[in-house]
Amino acid sequence: MISPSDLLEIPFGDWVDVFVKGWLVPNFRPFFQAVSVPVDWVLDSLDAFLNWVPMLAFTAVMVFLAWRCVGKGLAVFTLLSLIFLDMIGVWSETMTTLAMVSTAVFFCALMGVPLGILAARSDRFLQILRPVLDVMQTIPPFVYLVPIVMLFGVGTVPGVIATIIFALPPITRLTNLGIRNVRADLIEASYAFGATPRQVLWEVQMPLAMRTIMAGLNQTLMMSLSMAVIAALIGAGGLGLTVNSGLGRLDVGLATEGGIGIVLLAIILDRITQSFAERKGTKAPSLMALLRSYFRTGKQPVPAE
């Protein structure tokens, strides 16, 4: 049997290599270096601050936050987990990982929410954005680590940028989904009350979509934590470096210390962000109360003079 490759073989890998090495890196490396400056600044500031805060003070804040957001169970778990991480000697690495994850989530939210809003308001933009998000979400991270190293170098900042690429799709997709799932009659009623498109977006659609958006933020956070070990392959620090060091030395104890640190940090952050999603979903803005009154009575309130 004759296969297509017997007739024509496409040198796709060579084309990509020429594109990246011959055009992208020489022409755009200064631009990408400039893009990394705000990431570097936020990351360094957070890392320095978290490592400066005393362990007991940070633990007290996290325990209080867990208690207020979720309950006593998570507060006790947070207390025991953070004490355990300090006692096994990975506190500094945990704070570095937290700084990396917080930086990645911050920039994912900064880019993902506006992209999701634009996608919800324009079907054409969604058609363009969807395949890009598909590639970002499904391509193995090891594939784009090479061009990231060539464009940004090695270190913690390139690791965070790789994390941003990997973790951006969930919050973008769920922001779009949340806004599109807002009931059409609520939007029509808002326009009937004389609301502008900006008011409809920020006072009706965003509050009603906030539960879905926060779910996307939670997924982005979890995906950022899952990249901690992979990002360490290009020089990122934190618990991922501990895991990779244990792997390189065949030191199962060291690798387990880093791995259990990531697991405990993920559980704490996951429960807290889930509670934020539930709280956001229960809050109703004043305009929504007005709309509910309108739907119950069928009468439009007379504005106060």
Side-chain angles (χ1 to χ4, degrees):
M1 293 290 295
I2 298 177
S3 66
S5 61
D6 294 329
L7 303 176
L8 178 63
E9 185 173 351
I10 300 176
F12 182 72
D14 294 336
W15 293 350
V16 174
D17 192 57
V18 170
F19 170 75
V20 174
K21 293 183 179 179
W23 183 75
L24 187 63
V25 174
N27 294 315
F28 287 92
R29 185 166 187 177
F31 168 76
F32 286 104
Q33 292 290 334
V35 168
S36 68
V37 171
V39 178
D40 190 11
W41 183 81
V42 173
L43 176 62
D44 287 347
S45 300
L46 273 176
D47 192 18
F49 174 75
L50 291 175
N51 280 285
W52 171 79
V53 174
M55 179 267 172
L56 293 178
F58 180 84
T59 301
V61 171
M62 291 299 295
V63 169
F64 176 77
L65 187 63
W67 173 63
R68 290 293 296 171
C69 293
V70 182
K72 294 181 180 179
L74 184 65
V76 173
F77 177 81
T78 301
L79 176 63
L80 297 178
S81 298
L82 295 179
I83 291 175
F84 175 74
L85 293 177
D86 182 58
M87 293 178 68
I88 64 176
V90 294
W91 182 260
S92 178
E93 290 81 1
T94 302
M95 293 298 100
T96 299
T97 299
L98 181 58
M100 292 171 56
V101 170
S102 301
T103 302
V105 171
F106 170 74
F107 281 99
C108 284
L110 194 65
M111 295 183 291
V113 173
L115 287 174
I117 292 173
L118 290 174
R121 297 172 75 90
S122 173
D123 291 336
R124 180 171 297 179
F125 182 75
L126 178 62
Q127 291 176 356
I128 298 172
L129 183 64
R130 182 177 292 167
V132 176
L133 295 177
D134 290 340
V135 172
M136 293 171 64
Q137 197 165 13
T138 57
I139 191 171
F142 293 99
V143 174
Y144 55 79
L145 287 183
V146 175
I148 283 179
V149 170
M150 297 176 67
L151 292 169
F152 297 99
V154 296
T156 304
V157 173
V160 171
I161 292 173
T163 302
I164 293 172
I165 296 173
F166 182 71
L168 180 63
I171 190 169
T172 305
R173 290 182 186 276
L174 288 175
T175 299
N176 166 65
L177 180 65
I179 294 176
R180 286 180 176 269
N181 283 344
V182 174
R183 287 167 46 189
D185 54 353
L186 293 177
I187 298 175
E188 293 174 2
S190 302
Y191 284 120
F193 279 118
T196 64
R198 183 187 296 266
Q199 289 174 324
V200 171
L201 173 64
W202 293 108
E203 297 185 31
V204 178
Q205 291 176 308
M206 289 297 289
L208 289 175
M210 192 55 66
R211 181 188 290 268
T212 306
I213 294 173
M214 291 301 297
L217 187 69
N218 176 266
Q219 292 301 307
T220 292
L221 176 63
M222 293 298 102
M223 294 182 71
S224 298
L225 278 166
S226 71
M227 275 289 292
V229 177
I230 298 176
L233 296 175
I234 57 175
L239 294 169
L241 181 60
T242 303
V243 173
N244 281 331
S245 298
L247 179 63
R249 302 172 190 173
L250 295 180
D251 187 340
V252 64
L254 184 62
T256 303
E257 288 178 353
I260 199 67
I262 294 173
V263 170
L264 294 177
L265 190 61
I267 293 174
I268 295 170
L269 296 178
D270 176 61
R271 299 300 185 271
I272 292 175
T273 52
Q274 279 186 359
S275 72
F276 286 157
E278 294 172 0
R279 289 168 181 261
K280 290 292 184 182
T282 59
K283 291 183 179 179
S286 58
L287 181 56
M288 292 307 303
L290 193 63
L291 291 175
R292 283 200 301 270
S293 174
Y294 170 70
F295 289 132
R296 284 197 303 267
T297 62
K299 298 178 180 180
Q300 182 170 340
V302 178
E305 296 182 356

